[in-house]
């Protein structure tokens, strides 16, 4: 039984079959749509083939734009033999009787269960009666945002995280005036540190997106629809559309009282098994022991969800010989014409070193712990990324990593001037 018919869930179904499971696989998903890929929703999906998103808009009401599906329906149902149940919501779990509870009061028995209900966009803390406030997590969210962008001159994005930054890039590229409002002084500092955050911020300002950092949104005003966004520094931004991009929350509400241990997500052991017998977790909600440090890790990235779905399913099927999940995390993000790639886990309390010149749009930030490289963030460095992955996997000495990265990406100015070392806060 797999709950959550998205990336982790689909990969779990496929891996279970490939691992030799010949019994029933039921894949339950709350959304009515066939499992689809989320990354395009903040990128190409929001725009049309013509220059401005307004083109073709009337057609879309009759024929809403289609997403990229993760697997064709006949492949899932016929080739893999998956009992796919869409538009079905799990409301609870009885781990004593090993039954899944559904919204229509049905109880479905399971031998093994994989929890893959992902995450939900974090909501804005106050309510507004005004229209024009958007979130971006689901296909329905993306269709609504896409339609709104077609009528938007001024877009305000709350939060300079990956989703907000990608939408800002897409909108700016299509002639919309996009402003990002961020409470931190440096975008993404909590995720990638001060050095990388400052360098990434330049990609926005160079492209013409307005970035307002160190301020908060305090209110919205307008007549029926948001027309202005009020900030804590007293300024007021004109806005036709507002996107709230302040992170995601693991979808674990339905597991309350189930006996499955929760800890900002579902608490797992290194095998992705939960505290309940026969129950595993995978994807954006799975929290597992950090393979290289103290503490735990929860990743909200495509590669992790895909890997974990398959890993959890294999361990659920082959319980006699489970394997530990010990990833080197990987994430990509596309802003404007830039490809950002992060390998490893760049904890922001580690020193980081910038190599290259952010003004050229080509640079790398390396992260160290003691005398080893632990993570890297590379912008427009497709050749470097495989080598960086190898260095991080091997826990290569810092000096080697520095030399090899500098060779791949020579600084635009002499090293002493272009390299900054800082301890990110
Ligand atoms: C707009 C957007 C852009 C992204 N871009 C990138 C990117 O460029 N690079 C990258 O690395 N990652 C990106 N990601 C992240 C990546 O898409 C996620 O990490 C991945 O989708 C997580 O997969 P998942 O299966 O764990 O969860 P989800 O994709 O969140 O799927 C969970 C599914 O479970 C269903 N569900 C929830 N509760 C229940 C319930 N009670 N009963 C039944 N079903 C339920 C939900 O409806 C949903 O379909 C992006 C995410 C978004 C939203």
């Amino acid at each position: 039984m797999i709950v959550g018919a998205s990336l982790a869930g689909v990969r779990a179904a496929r891996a279970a079959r490939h691992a030799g499971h010949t019994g029933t696989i039921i894949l339950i998903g709350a959304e009515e749509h066939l499992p689809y890929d989320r990354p395009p929703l903040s990128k190409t999906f929001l725009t049309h083939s013509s220059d401005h998103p307004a083109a073709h808009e009337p057609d879309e009401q009759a024929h809403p734009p289609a997403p990229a599906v993760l697997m064709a329906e006949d492949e899932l149902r016929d080739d893999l033999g998956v009992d796919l149940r869409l538009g079905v919501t799990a409301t609870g779990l009885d781990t004593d009787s090993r039954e899944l509870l559904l919204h229509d009061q049905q109880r479905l028995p399971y031998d093994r269960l994989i929890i893959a209900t992902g995450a939900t966009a974090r909501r804005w803390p106050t309510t507004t009666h005004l229209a024009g406030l958007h979130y971006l997590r689901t296909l329905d969210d993306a269709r609504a945002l896409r339609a709104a962008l077609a009528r938007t001159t001024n877009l305000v994005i709350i939060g300079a995280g990956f989703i907000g930054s990608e939408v800002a890039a897409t909108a700016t590229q299509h002639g919309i005036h996009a402003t990002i409002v961020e409470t931190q002084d440096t975008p993404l500092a909590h995720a990638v540190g001060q050095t990388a955050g400052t360098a990434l911020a330049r990609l926005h300002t160079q492209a013409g997106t307005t970035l307002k950092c160190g301020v908060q949104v305090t209110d919205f005003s307008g007549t029926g629809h948001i027309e202005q966004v009020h900030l804590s520094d007293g300024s007021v931004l004109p806005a036709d559309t507002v996107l709230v991009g302040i992170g995601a929350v693991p979808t674990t509400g339905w597991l309350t009282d189930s006996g499955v241990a929760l800890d900002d997500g579902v608490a797992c052991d290194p095998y992705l098994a939960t505290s309940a017998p026969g129950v595993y977790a995978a994807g954006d909600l799975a929290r597992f022991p950090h393979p290289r440090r103290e503490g735990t890790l929860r990743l909200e990235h495509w590669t992790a969800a895909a890997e974990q779905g398959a890993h959890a399913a294999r361990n659920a099927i082959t319980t006699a010989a489970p394997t530990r999940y010990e990833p080197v995390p990987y994430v990509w993000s596309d802003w404007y014409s830039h490809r950002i790639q992060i390998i490893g886990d760049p904890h922001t309390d580690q020193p980081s070193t910038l190599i290259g010149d952010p003004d050229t749009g080509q640079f790398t930030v390396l992260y160290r712990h003691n005398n080893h490289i632990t993570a890297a963030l590379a912008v427009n460095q497709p050749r470097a990324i495989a080598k960086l992955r190898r260095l991080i996997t091997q826990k290569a000495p810092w000096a080697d990593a520095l030399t090899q990265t500098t060779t791949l990406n020579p600084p635009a100015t002499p090293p002493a001037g272009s390299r900054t070392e800082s301890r990110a806060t």
Side-chain angles (χ1 to χ4, degrees), residues 6-8 30-31 38 42-43 90 118 137 163 283-284 301-302 332:
S6 183
L7 180 58
E31 295 180 71
R38 293 184 203 274
S42 49
K43 309 174 184 74
R137 180 76 201 181
I163 302 270
D284 279 12
H301 308 316
W302 194 99
W332 84 91

Side-chain angles (χ1 to χ4, degrees), residues 120-199:
T120 314
R122 191 188 302 281
R123 299 282 129 175
W124 187 245
T126 57
T127 50
T128 174
H129 62 283
L130 301 174
L133 199 66
H134 288 259
Y135 296 90
L136 182 52
R137 180 76 201 181
T138 66
L139 175 59
D140 294 341
D141 292 341
R143 283 180 172 156
L145 180 60
R146 176 177 155 124
L149 289 180
R151 299 183 294 273
T152 294
T153 304
N154 292 299
L155 169 68
V156 172
I157 295 166
I158 309 177
F162 286 113
I163 302 270
S165 292
E166 290 180 354
V167 174
T170 306
T172 297
Q173 284 182 308
H174 285 80
I176 294 171
H177 182 230
T179 303
I180 304 177
V181 180
E182 168 59 52
T183 52
Q184 296 183 85
D185 290 332
T186 308
L188 283 166
H190 65 289
V192 298
Q194 203 75 35
T195 305
T198 304

Side-chain angles (χ1 to χ4, degrees), residues 208-226:
T209 295
T210 306
L211 194 53
K212 289 180 83 75
C213 291
V215 283
Q216 292 177 17
V217 169
T218 53
D219 206 359
F220 309 106
S221 60
T223 311
H225 196 283
I226 295 176

Side-chain angles (χ1 to χ4, degrees), residues 277-303:
V279 180
Y280 295 75
D284 279 12
L285 52 52
R287 179 171 289 285
F288 54 95
H290 200 298
R292 280 170 296 279
R293 271 204 293 273
E294 290 287 298
T296 59
L297 199 55
R298 186 171 67 77
L299 302 166
E300 292 180 4
H301 308 316
W302 194 99
T303 308

